[in-house]
Amino acid sequence: QQQVKQSPQSLIVQKGGISIINCAYENTAFDYFPWYQQFPGKGPALLIAIRPDVSEKKEGRFTISFNKSAKQFSLHIMDSQPGDSATYFCAASRAHYQLIWGAGTKLIIKP
Amino acid sequence: DAGVTQSPTHLIKTRGQQVTLRCSPKSGHDTVSWYQQALGQGPQFIFQYYEEEERQRGNFPDRFSGHQFPNYSSELNVNALLLGDSALYLCASNRGVGLSYNEQFFGPGTRLTVL
């Protein structure tokens, strides 16, 4: 019940296309759902996050869609650029508890 | 406004040795969490410190211990190093209270290699 399942494991998208990464969770007590971007050898960087009281949040080219009834959330990257090539992690947490991480998605944007 | 900083950047140790990693949280943050990230995997939670106390702990043996100082900085100590301890060690900080209490910001990590 503590798991966060992330898919796909890897993704190749043409420059200018839309990248979509999906996550699913079981624990309905989770109240915070962030996405992190990580480049090789660097720490994860907080990209965008959502709480379950909204169904969508947009920041620039990045959008989180949240479906509370399905217990799923996804990251959409619009107009994907080669600089977006990185590993993306979804996560979830509740109250002051630890972040529970997805397994990660390696995204490659082809020029 | 300085973000999360960690030292050292890289470290090479031999099996059986002990290591101490250091972390300074982002300005205004009072909670520090430590994660271990093996190559190609997601971060694994080690423990979290708040008000100088260990508040939560992941599934790591007692060889992993930590400390938080009054200025909120933190140390991670690993004793009796094993080859499997080779990883990127990440420190994250957040505010312990308030609306953004679980927004964790990560440092660049310390790459530990155990030979």
Side-chain angles (χ1 to χ4, degrees):
Chain A
Q1 198 179 21
Q2 281 287 82
Q3 281 187 319
V4 175
K5 295 182 179 178
Q6 183 172 347
S7 62
Q9 188 175 0
S10 62
L11 182 62
I12 300 174
V13 175
Q14 289 293 129
K15 178 183 173 182
I18 303 173
S19 304
I20 302 174
I21 304 170
N22 301 298
C23 283
Y25 64 97
E26 290 293 325
N27 190 342
T28 56
F30 287 149
D31 64 357
Y32 176 69
F33 303 88
W35 283 91
Y36 284 86
Q37 178 191 58
Q38 187 175 29
F39 294 104
K42 306 295 184 183
L46 180 61
L47 199 57
I48 187 172
I50 199 168
R51 297 190 189 273
D53 52 343
V54 296
S55 60
E56 186 174 280
K57 183 174 181 181
K58 184 176 181 179
E59 289 183 2
R61 296 185 295 110
F62 301 92
T63 299
I64 297 180
S65 296
F66 184 80
N67 186 328
K68 190 173 181 178
S69 60
K71 292 185 282 187
Q72 295 175 347
F73 59 109
S74 59
L75 175 70
H76 291 64
I77 305 175
M78 312 299 287
D79 187 27
S80 299
Q81 298 297 312
D84 297 331
S85 297
T87 299
Y88 292 80
F89 292 96
C90 64
S93 73
R94 62 182 179 100
H96 296 284
Y97 286 84
Q98 59 176 293
L99 283 171
I100 307 299
W101 294 74
T105 296
K106 186 172 182 180
L107 175 64
I108 297 172
I109 307 299
K110 282 195 155 186
Chain B
D1 178 23
V4 180
T5 60
Q6 292 185 243
S7 64
T9 305
H10 295 88
L11 204 51
I12 299 174
K13 291 285 188 178
T14 57
R15 281 178 297 175
Q17 284 189 311
Q18 178 264 343
V19 67
T20 297
L21 311 182
R22 295 176 176 83
C23 171
S24 290
K26 183 178 168 66
S27 178
H29 287 184
D30 56 9
T31 303
V32 172
S33 301
W34 286 94
Y35 293 82
Q36 180 194 67
Q37 187 177 27
L39 206 59
Q41 297 183 23
Q44 297 295 312
F45 176 73
I46 302 175
F47 41 55
Q48 182 184 81
Y49 277 85
Y50 174 67
E51 293 188 340
E52 301 180 51
E53 296 285 333
E54 183 182 291
R55 183 160 71 174
Q56 300 173 50
R57 189 179 182 91
N59 190 25
F60 278 79
D62 292 345
R63 298 188 297 109
F64 291 77
S65 63
H67 188 78
Q68 185 179 34
F69 300 94
N71 67 353
Y72 308 120
S73 67
S74 177
E75 288 182 350
L76 164 65
N77 300 291
V78 187
N79 295 322
L81 284 167
L82 304 173
L83 294 179
D85 295 332
S86 295
L88 182 68
Y89 287 84
L90 297 163
C91 170
S93 73
N94 61 285
R95 298 178 199 273
V97 293
L99 288 176
S100 60
Y101 63 81
N102 46 7
E103 286 186 356
Q104 291 191 8
F105 293 86
F106 283 78
T110 293
R111 172 67 64 185
L112 173 64
T113 302
V114 182
L115 302 177

